[in-house]
Amino acid sequence: MVTKNTYEVPLQSVFVGLQKAVASQIKKTAKFRTLLKRIDKTLRKIEPIMCGCGRLTRVLDRPEKETKMFIYYLENGKETVLKCSRIKCWNVYKKFVHANKLIRLDHELLRFFQAELQDNLSARFKGLALAGEVDQVVLSVAKRAGGFSSSCDVPGLPDVIVGLDFHVKEVKRMLLKDDNQVVILSAPGGCGKTTLARMLCHDDEIKGLFRDNIFYVTVSRTTSLKTVVQKLFTHHLRLNNCEFQTDEEAKNELENMIRQMWPQRILLVLDDVWSESESLIQDLKFLIPGYTILVTSRFRFSSIGSTYELSLLNDEDARTLLCHSAFPCEGNRINVPDDLVSKMVKCCKGFPLALTVIGASLRDQSLLKWKTTLQKLSEGQSVFDLNSFLLLSLRASVDALEDLPIAHDCFLDLGSFPEDEKISASALLDMWVVLYNLDKEGMYTIEYLLELSSRSLLSLVLARKDASELEGYCNEHHVTQHDLLRELAIHLSSQKPIAQRKRLLIEIHGNDIPAWWIDQTQQPIDTRLMSISTDETFSSVWYDLQAPKVQALVLNIRSKIYALPRFIKDFNELKVLNITSYGIYPTELHELPLISSLPNLRRLRLEHVSLFPSIQSIFKLNNLEKLSLIMCEIGSALESCTVESPMLPNLIELEIESCYDLKEVPAELCSLDRLTKLSITNCHELVALPVGFGRLSNLEILRLHSCTRLSKLPDSIGRLHNLVFLDISDCLSISSLPDQIGELSGLRVLKMSGCHGLEELPDSVTNLTLLEDVICDEETSYLWSYYEGDLCDLKINVVEEDRLANFMKIVG
């Protein structure tokens, strides 16, 4: 008779063998390194269980058949890992198949040890599925392209860093001292604290010590302990539904998780902590060896840990930074004397942000502009203290936009969005198109984003290398802004009395409605742009607000349940409505039917909210021109959509992005006669398009990027004779194109890289006589090469980037 303990040695043996195989392949091959590192991280989570006799006994206390099967699976897993270096680079299909085997191995490890990995979690969290069973849910929360991100990954570094190398060494020395559990990196705003913290996280010695256990959390003024802990759980354990009722519960569960990770070293970075969040640092301190916290703050927390005060740049480094920003090409400096540059450097007083922004504002400017800017800054030295002077310095860069009044307004509008959050480029462009009539002038608003970026007044992060594609993929691109620049935008927008402000930016903490709002009994507010930001404790208790001229309304929310204010039904001039949840999970949106009474609403953007069943009210918006559903929880709302009158008769553009539970597109969609742009991307559960899809006769642009389970295009697609652009890239399940594809007589661009299941093309592609560009991977390019002779203007563009790596982002 075989006892359960008979399997202890074989299980440990195959586990160690798998660990060694993974370690060797990480060094040997680069093709699957991302996935192998992921498996290595999982194995290191499991290692304490395998080495602890008591806990391993619990593992072995399972049905004999299950244990034997798992040992067999680990042995096969080792062989799969060892094959990584033998997969040829050119065979994309085999790379894809092998990658899926590695993913399944990682999921199986997590599944088998699920109970043990969650041993220290409270009973509420036991039984939650791990990554393999909720991949799409985790994806939709942790990998969104803009706005809120639950990821605790370390952000990248700026292209140019000046004068911080010495400080990296000093702070690293403090971090590695055994008696320093908390290190505070303190300096005024704009000094480079965040850049220094990121440099430390990317330092080879730090990465060697802490490995994958470096967690980076940006802390805004409204961040709670529960929010921080939920981010850490989502990131580390891939648990999507772990919610905490109290801060104390969150604190206890985090301590349990960190103790479970011991003896691995852990570095927690808390970036941009405000004075009112001092208790947050205290709550995250646990007396656990190897657990270290790095805090960046404008404030000193001397009672909590050791403080390192980051000094301003010396004259040499300051000059280097200013010149790099002002003269990216050395030849541009011909007309600017050295002494004028030196005086400008002195005026900036060593603040990196001021040097960067002012330098960018003077790029390609005349000598007169340099002198007038210097005069403004010099006059401020005798009036303002250091921090106020920095504000004045940055204002000089905004004043430099006086010849571009729309760009100036666009900068001020950035204050409408929450601190320390990514802003979707699409959300900004939607707002600016309407507020400034840019579409009527024939100018596309991307110019203003690029203008502000070139002046370092914001950071434009492009997900795609080709900036010309920004218009079509704005949800994949985002804007970030230094908190001082955001404060400047708010400061400049708040100079007039509330009733006369062009922009009204409201922040509500808890249920503390501003006193002026409660007392509003006189004239209505004249604002055109209104932003209302609420935190996770807001209970949707509203007072009436009279603002009949509002054209754009931005609602930034964090609570689990949120009811729209009833006063918006009287916003008859409202043209743009942007509702975004920055909470961990989609916010349950109530009172959405109120928007059906808005006669002039042109653009509606809903992000990270739960819509079922109130989505029906959206279909009654007769004048809506663009609808964006980003990261929304739709459920079966679209499947049961029934509208008596024509649905959205004036809709021109529809975006559905990363809606993880969207499985089918309703047939009613095909009645949108005026639709010219349709984008359904990163919807990984979508399996089919409606049979009557060809009824969208005015469609010009169709994007189906990364709908990984979409198996085919409908035959009726051939009726889309106005279609110019088609993107099916990373639609992994499409195995063939319909013969009717050749009927797309207007098609000029076809993007299809990453269609690894596609084995052949229909001969009808020879009828695509206007086709100019096919963007695909190397394997697909061979299929198209047979038809080059028939398509005279065809250019086959082979994607150089590793599309498999992009797929890993999708599943991981």
Side-chain angles (χ1 to χ4, degrees):
M1 182 176 178
V2 180
T3 63
K4 292 177 182 176
N5 287 335
T6 303
Y7 296 106
E8 181 173 341
V9 174
L11 183 57
Q12 289 176 328
S13 176
V14 294
F15 180 84
V16 171
L18 179 58
Q19 274 188 311
K20 291 180 178 179
V22 171
S24 68
Q25 291 297 303
I26 288 175
K27 296 177 181 178
K28 187 177 293 187
T29 180
K31 291 192 289 289
F32 301 98
R33 190 165 291 163
T34 301
L35 272 181
L36 290 168
K37 284 185 176 180
R38 174 176 164 181
I39 295 173
D40 181 60
K41 183 176 181 179
T42 299
L43 290 172
R44 282 189 278 109
K45 288 180 187 176
I46 295 170
E47 189 173 18
I49 300 172
M50 298 299 297
C51 297
C53 295
R55 297 168 79 183
L56 183 58
T57 301
R58 286 184 54 190
V59 174
L60 295 171
D61 191 24
R62 298 186 183 192
E64 178 182 329
K65 182 178 179 181
E66 183 179 349
T67 306
K68 288 174 67 176
M69 285 297 295
F70 187 67
I71 292 173
Y72 174 76
Y73 195 86
L74 288 183
E75 289 172 340
N76 282 334
K78 176 182 174 182
E79 294 302 315
T80 300
V81 168
L82 292 175
K83 285 181 181 178
C84 287
S85 57
R86 300 199 291 270
I87 301 294
K88 303 298 182 183
C89 293
W90 55 265
N91 197 326
V92 180
Y93 180 71
K94 283 191 176 180
K95 284 171 66 179
F96 166 65
V97 172
H98 197 73
N100 272 292
K101 290 181 180 179
L102 294 174
I103 293 167
R104 286 197 296 272
L105 172 61
D106 184 55
H107 290 175
E108 189 65 20
L109 287 166
L110 287 166
R111 185 200 64 77
F112 189 78
F113 290 100
Q114 174 179 343
E116 287 70 30
L117 287 171
Q118 295 179 283
D119 185 46
N120 284 337
L121 298 177
S122 64
R124 281 191 308 106
F125 302 133
K126 289 183 180 178
L128 286 175
L130 289 182
E133 296 164 309
V134 291
D135 254 355
Q136 304 307 329
V137 181
V138 175
L139 164 73
S140 66
V141 175
K143 295 293 182 182
R144 59 191 301 204
F148 167 78
S149 172
S150 63
S151 173
C152 298
D153 291 334
V154 179
L157 295 171
D159 295 333
V160 178
I161 301 175
V162 176
L164 293 180
D165 290 341
F166 169 77
H167 300 293
V168 168
K169 294 178 182 177
E170 290 299 301
V171 178
K172 182 166 63 173
R173 179 181 57 79
M174 294 176 65
L175 279 175
L176 300 183
K177 287 181 64 176
D178 292 337
D179 57 343
N180 279 345
Q181 187 190 14
V182 180
V183 175
I184 313 293
L185 178 54
S186 177
C191 287
K193 302 182 297 296
T194 294
T195 300
L196 178 54
R198 294 179 184 181
M199 288 178 70
L200 284 160
C201 294
H202 286 282
D203 179 82
D204 289 338
E205 185 178 358
I206 293 293
K207 289 195 295 185
L209 287 169
F210 294 97
R211 304 183 73 177
D212 292 326
N213 296 326
I214 301 176
F215 306 122
Y216 194 104
V217 180
T218 301
V219 182
S220 65
R221 282 183 171 180
T222 59
T223 300
S224 67
L225 177 63
K226 289 190 294 184
T227 301
V228 172
V229 176
Q230 283 169 342
K231 285 186 179 183
L232 293 171
F233 270 64
T234 301
H235 177 86
H236 181 66
L237 288 182
R238 303 174 188 166
L239 295 176
N240 184 52
N241 293 318
C242 52
E243 297 183 33
F244 305 99
Q245 299 301 318
T246 65
D247 282 350
E248 187 65 26
E249 181 187 12
K251 176 182 176 181
N252 293 337
E253 298 296 354
L254 179 61
E255 182 176 4
N256 289 338
M257 185 184 82
I258 293 174
R259 290 192 183 281
Q260 191 174 26
M261 293 171 66
W262 188 84
Q264 301 176 51
R265 300 192 68 162
I266 300 168
L267 175 61
L268 173 60
V269 181
L270 301 174
D271 186 28
D272 197 21
V273 177
W274 289 76
S275 58
E276 52 263 42
S277 297
E278 181 173 356
S279 61
L280 176 67
I281 307 173
Q282 292 281 16
D283 287 335
L284 292 171
K285 285 178 62 177
F286 308 113
L287 295 178
I288 301 174
Y291 171 51
T292 306
I293 302 175
L294 174 64
V295 177
T296 74
S297 179
R298 303 183 198 181
F299 310 93
R300 297 180 180 88
F301 303 108
S302 54
S303 62
I304 295 180
S306 302
T307 300
Y308 182 86
E309 296 190 16
L310 177 61
S311 58
L312 300 174
L313 295 179
N314 59 39
D315 288 346
E316 181 181 353
D317 288 334
R319 186 184 184 90
T320 299
L321 186 56
L322 177 75
C323 289
H324 180 274
S325 185
F327 314 116
C329 301
E330 188 62 27
N332 295 353
R333 190 180 161 181
I334 296 175
N335 296 323
V336 184
D338 283 345
D339 66 325
L340 186 55
V341 173
S342 298
K343 290 177 181 178
M344 192 68 72
V345 168
K346 185 177 181 181
C347 277
C348 292
K349 299 188 176 182
F351 278 95
L353 182 61
L355 290 158
T356 301
V357 173
I358 290 173
S361 71
L362 294 171
R363 189 179 304 158
D364 299 324
Q365 297 298 313
S366 65
L367 183 59
L368 178 61
K369 184 67 175 179
W370 276 76
K371 289 181 178 179
T372 55
T373 301
L374 177 63
Q375 182 179 358
K376 288 181 181 180
L377 296 178
S378 299
E379 290 172 353
Q381 289 184 18
S382 60
V383 180
F384 298 94
D385 59 24
L386 199 58
N387 285 333
S388 296
F389 170 74
L390 177 58
L391 203 62
L392 181 70
S393 302
L394 301 179
R395 178 168 184 167
S397 301
V398 179
D399 290 343
L401 295 169
E402 58 190 0
D403 295 332
L404 298 167
I406 293 180
H408 181 275
D409 283 338
C410 289
F411 170 77
L412 298 183
D413 292 341
L414 292 170
S416 306
F417 296 87
E419 176 191 14
D420 296 325
E421 295 287 358
K422 297 175 183 177
I423 307 171
S424 167
S426 181
L428 291 170
L429 301 184
D430 283 346
M431 190 164 63
W432 294 342
V433 161
V434 172
L435 285 177
Y436 308 118
N437 296 317
L438 297 182
D439 48 347
K440 295 179 182 178
E441 296 175 12
M443 300 173 59
Y444 195 67
T445 45
I446 182 60
E447 295 178 14
Y448 295 105
L449 271 180
L450 296 174
E451 180 66 37
L452 295 175
S453 177
S454 70
R455 295 170 182 257
S456 297
L457 293 172
L458 57 78
S459 296
L460 181 58
V461 183
L462 302 179
R464 293 170 181 259
K465 295 180 181 179
D466 183 2
S468 67
E469 294 186 9
L470 181 61
E471 176 182 354
Y473 293 89
C474 290
N475 285 319
E476 297 184 21
H477 311 299
H478 62 265
V479 167
T480 60
Q481 190 178 43
H482 193 284
D483 51 3
L484 271 182
L485 291 171
R486 177 180 177 272
E487 288 180 24
L488 175 62
I490 294 173
H491 173 76
L492 296 177
S493 297
S494 306
Q495 298 303 300
K496 293 184 178 181
I498 289 173
Q500 301 173 21
R501 291 178 187 174
K502 188 176 180 180
R503 296 165 193 82
L504 184 58
L505 313 177
I506 306 169
E507 289 194 17
I508 300 175
H509 302 286
N511 291 303
D512 295 332
I513 306 294
W516 65 260
W517 187 345
I518 298 175
D519 297 337
Q520 186 202 11
T521 56
Q522 301 176 1
Q523 75 273 24
I525 295 171
D526 287 338
T527 186
R528 292 181 65 210
L529 168 61
M530 180 183 292
S531 167
I532 305 177
S533 301
T534 53
D535 62 18
E536 58 193 22
T537 63
F538 182 64
S539 59
S540 298
V541 177
W542 298 101
Y543 285 78
D544 189 33
L545 185 62
Q546 299 178 45
K549 296 182 181 180
V550 170
Q551 294 185 25
L553 176 61
V554 179
L555 299 177
N556 305 308
I557 60 184
R558 295 183 184 274
S559 51
K560 292 171 61 177
I561 300 175
Y562 183 92
L564 294 182
R566 299 195 64 82
F567 56 73
I568 69 169
K569 71 180 186 301
D570 298 321
F571 285 7
N572 292 328
E573 298 299 317
L574 190 65
K575 297 178 181 178
V576 183
L577 177 58
N578 182 331
I579 306 174
T580 301
S581 169
Y582 295 91
I584 297 288
Y585 311 111
T587 294
E588 186 178 318
L589 195 60
H590 291 195
E591 301 291 348
L592 190 60
L594 288 170
I595 68 172
S596 61
S597 62
L598 300 173
N600 291 301
L601 192 62
R602 298 289 187 268
R603 294 180 178 238
L604 173 61
R605 179 184 178 88
L606 302 174
E607 183 168 356
H608 205 215
V609 296
S610 178
L611 294 174
F612 183 79
S614 56
I615 196 172
Q616 301 288 333
S617 57
I618 296 174
F619 302 145
K620 300 177 182 179
L621 294 167
N622 291 334
N623 291 312
L624 195 68
E625 296 173 355
K626 180 178 178 181
L627 173 61
S628 301
L629 304 177
I630 314 297
M631 289 291 299
C632 289
E633 193 174 74
I634 296 175
S636 59
L638 285 178
E639 299 173 17
S640 58
C641 68
T642 54
V643 183
E644 296 178 0
S645 58
M647 182 174 72
L648 300 170
N650 287 296
L651 195 70
I652 296 172
E653 185 172 355
L654 174 60
E655 290 180 316
I656 303 177
E657 158 75 20
S658 298
C659 295
Y660 71 88
D661 60 350
L662 178 68
K663 296 182 179 180
E664 292 185 8
V665 176
E668 286 77 7
L669 174 74
C670 304
S671 66
L672 301 175
D673 297 335
R674 298 192 61 191
L675 197 68
T676 61
K677 296 181 181 180
L678 175 60
S679 177
I680 306 176
T681 57
N682 291 298
C683 294
H684 302 290
E685 295 297 318
L686 180 66
V687 295
L689 295 174
V691 174
F693 198 76
R695 290 164 52 199
L696 296 171
S697 57
N698 287 310
L699 200 63
E700 298 174 2
I701 296 174
L702 174 59
R703 299 186 180 90
L704 301 170
H705 172 68
S706 291
C707 292
T708 53
R709 293 192 181 183
L710 182 65
S711 58
K712 65 178 182 178
L713 299 177
D715 293 344
S716 62
I717 196 171
R719 294 163 57 188
L720 302 178
H721 301 305
N722 289 313
L723 194 68
V724 175
F725 180 99
L726 174 61
D727 183 0
I728 57 170
S729 55
D730 291 326
C731 289
L732 306 175
S733 300
I734 290 181
S735 57
S736 63
L737 299 178
D739 289 335
Q740 292 82 357
I741 197 82
E743 299 173 19
L744 296 175
S745 55
L747 191 65
R748 294 181 180 272
V749 179
L750 175 57
K751 302 189 71 171
M752 54 188 306
S753 56
C755 293
H756 300 303
L758 193 65
E759 298 179 355
E760 62 179 358
L761 298 174
D763 291 338
S764 63
V765 296
T766 57
N767 298 324
L768 299 173
T769 54
L770 294 183
L771 188 62
E772 298 173 354
D773 288 290
V774 171
I775 298 96
C776 60
D777 48 51
E778 185 176 1
E779 186 171 287
T780 307
S781 71
Y782 299 144
L783 303 179
W784 280 101
S785 63
Y786 293 112
Y787 301 98
E788 281 187 286
D790 300 301
L791 300 169
C792 301
D793 297 326
L794 178 62
K795 180 181 178 181
I796 301 173
N797 304 278
V798 177
V799 177
E800 296 180 359
E801 61 184 307
D802 186 357
R803 303 303 301 182
L804 180 66
N806 286 345
F807 173 65
M808 295 313 136
K809 294 177 184 177
I810 294 172
V811 298

